[in-house]
Amino acid sequence: MAWFRRRPAAGGRGASREDLAYLEEFVRSRRGVEGFIEPRTTVTETTLLLIAHDGEWTRRRMESPQAARQFAHRLSMPIYDIALVGYPKRWRDYNARNKKS
């Protein structure tokens, strides 16, 4: 039956201009921001996770991993593949602190 077939996430839909402006403002207004590319799954598009020095973070959809790399290079920001390096401890600590609040 076709009901149970999984469809891949819609392809090609990248960040809007507003998304990119928001990400740029996040990078410019915080210290030590690094980018982490989260791969596309059957449910979500490729996303760019930005994490500041204190663990504060934001995430937006990107068209592709290459688009995320180009964005990071344009802002002279380090960028990593989350599937290779994992989520940083400061991100987990930030989430744990805010969960308790």
Side-chain angles (χ1 to χ4, degrees), residues 6 15 22 28 33 41 44 59-60 79 87 92 95:
R6 288 197 149 195
Y22 172 79
R28 287 181 169 62
V33 176
T41 69
T44 63
R59 172 188 288 129
R60 291 292 185 273
I79 189 155
Y87 291 91
R92 291 189 306 272
N95 288 333

Side-chain angles (χ1 to χ4, degrees), residues 8-70:
R13 183 169 173 213
S16 67
R17 287 183 186 180
E18 293 80 18
D19 288 338
L20 294 176
Y22 172 79
L23 292 173
E24 286 181 31
E25 178 58 28
F26 186 90
V27 171
R28 287 181 169 62
S29 63
R30 289 154 180 87
R31 290 188 303 117
V33 176
E34 296 178 319
F36 295 86
I37 300 169
E38 296 177 307
R40 179 181 174 175
T41 69
T42 57
V43 179
T44 63
E45 296 290 334
T46 298
T47 54
L48 176 60
L49 175 66
L50 300 181
I51 304 175
H53 79 285
D54 62 353
E56 182 183 3
W57 61 276
T58 191
R59 172 188 288 129
R60 291 292 185 273
R61 176 183 22 241
M62 296 301 279
E63 182 177 338
S64 67
Q66 184 58 29
R69 285 185 195 92
Q70 289 172 347

